[in-house]
Amino acid sequence: SERVEMVELAESTTAMRAQMLKQAQDAGAASGAAVSGPTCYDVIAVDVAWTTEFARWNYILPLDEDAVDHDAFLSKPLESARYDGKLWAVPLRSDVGLLYYRKDLLGGLPAPRTWEELRQHARTIAPRHAGLQGYITQLGRYEGFTVNTLESIWDTGGDVLGSDGSPRGDTGTGFGRLLQGVREGWISPRSVDLDEEGTRSAFQDGTALFMRNWTYAYELLSAGDSPVAGKFDVARLPTPSALGGWNLAL
């Protein structure tokens, strides 16, 4: 049998990425190489957004295609593990964005299914409750802002890349309506400084009617000591959702 030791890294994904990159770069410097080979870890969990970066600099190792059951995975998560014609990781889990909403405050109305419905509910229902903001999401200066922007762009029929990976720059009105929402106030201005945990805390404290977040937040919001336990529900986003998640790499 093999002894496996679990190593817990930083809680913040941004800090975790920086920690793994530093160790990989330190290992490369110690070996005298321009880029490093494997780090001190045998298997690492890599955010889908980092996989190609780690592969490009040889911080992870390519895998044997024949040893991977491709039918066991969704095509898009498996695609996130490819770079330069090689497979560098296998999907560990996939994640999708959800719309969290205070069902106790909607007065029997269903969750908004379009961006305009979200805007109208946030503008008309939230002001009826003191201290309640309409919609809170991740617009801080990190990848969460990129995710929110892409989802809005896709919802308006635009895109930033073509099918061949070349830049399109077809952002349509997607980016502009996020800015408009913040200016109008129904997207909480606090969003520009928040990440996933910041928005989760704000929603859990009862200060927002709607929130965009990943699936992990559901369990925390449902905990016995959560002020919104039993008062919220989830629905599909009124926009397409980016597909997040983690890959396992050597």
Side-chain angles (χ1 to χ4, degrees), residues 100 200-201 203-205 211 216-224 226-230 232 234:
Y100 292 77
R200 194 270 302 172
S201 295
F203 186 83
Q204 190 161 334
D205 289 342
M211 172 185 70
Y216 87 95
Y218 190 91
E219 183 177 0
L220 296 173
L221 295 171
S222 302
S226 169
V228 297
F232 77 95
V234 295

Side-chain angles (χ1 to χ4, degrees), residues 70 77 83-84 98 137 151 190 197:
H70 294 62
Y83 174 73
D84 197 27
L98 295 173
T137 189
E151 290 173 345
R190 294 178 58 191
E197 272 299 272

